[in-house]
Amino acid sequence: MGAAAERAGQEASHMSATADRVVASMNKVDKKVADLTRQRTSDPETASDKIIGMATPALSGMIAGKVFQLIWDAVTAKIHPSPKDDAEDKQRGIVASMIFAAFSAAFTTLITTIATRGTNKFIAHRIIKREKK
């Protein structure tokens, strides 16, 4: 009977250690949730500010890409309007594609960067205006 009591005591001790680890893990999770909640509630940006901050630069970049494509097509149509010398076009095609990609990326990046800066200033203005109330 002494061995059974000793085993029961060991099992109870093992359960106690497991329970302590579980409680410590739950406390750690609770602390992390509290920290995230504190960060969210102290963030001055509203959901609409975040949507504006993401959507405006993205839409500006898409529009800039389309505008550049239209300009590129108009310029290349004036330079080479007829399909009679397609063999020559094929040779220039790879170089023209690389040039288009580089200039398009640069133009789109420039417009997106400008839009991001403007949007950030607009959001900062909205935050200041809200905090004054």
Side-chain angles (χ1 to χ4, degrees), residues 1 4 12 30 32 35 49 57 66 69 80 97 107 110 120 124 127 131 133:
M1 197 122 121
D30 184 48
K32 184 66 176 176
D35 289 344
D49 290 340
K66 282 294 183 187
Q69 177 72 49
H80 184 65
S97 294
F107 181 72
L110 176 69
N120 288 342
I127 291 170
E131 289 175 351
K133 288 183 181 180

Side-chain angles (χ1 to χ4, degrees), residues 3-89:
E6 186 177 317
R7 244 187 320 221
Q10 288 175 349
E11 286 179 17
S13 172
H14 177 67
M15 280 195 224
S16 176
T18 302
D20 288 343
R21 282 195 305 271
V22 169
V23 169
S25 294
M26 291 179 79
N27 285 337
K28 187 186 278 187
V29 169
D30 184 48
K31 184 176 185 268
K32 184 66 176 176
V33 168
D35 289 344
L36 291 173
T37 302
R38 190 172 28 264
Q39 286 176 358
R40 185 184 55 77
T41 56
S42 66
D43 186 4
E45 287 188 6
T46 62
S48 62
D49 290 340
K50 292 181 188 294
I51 291 170
I52 291 169
M54 287 182 350
T56 303
L59 289 173
S60 298
M62 287 175 25
I63 292 168
K66 282 294 183 187
V67 167
F68 190 83
Q69 177 72 49
L70 292 173
I71 293 170
W72 181 268
D73 290 344
V75 169
T76 55
K78 287 182 182 178
I79 292 173
H80 184 65
S82 73
K84 290 182 182 175
D85 55 350
D86 284 340
E88 191 177 315
D89 286 346

Side-chain angles (χ1 to χ4, degrees), residues 90-107:
K90 288 179 184 177
Q91 292 174 353
R92 286 189 263 160
I94 293 173
V95 174
S97 294
M98 291 186 337
I99 292 171
F100 171 77
F103 284 141
S104 176
F107 181 72

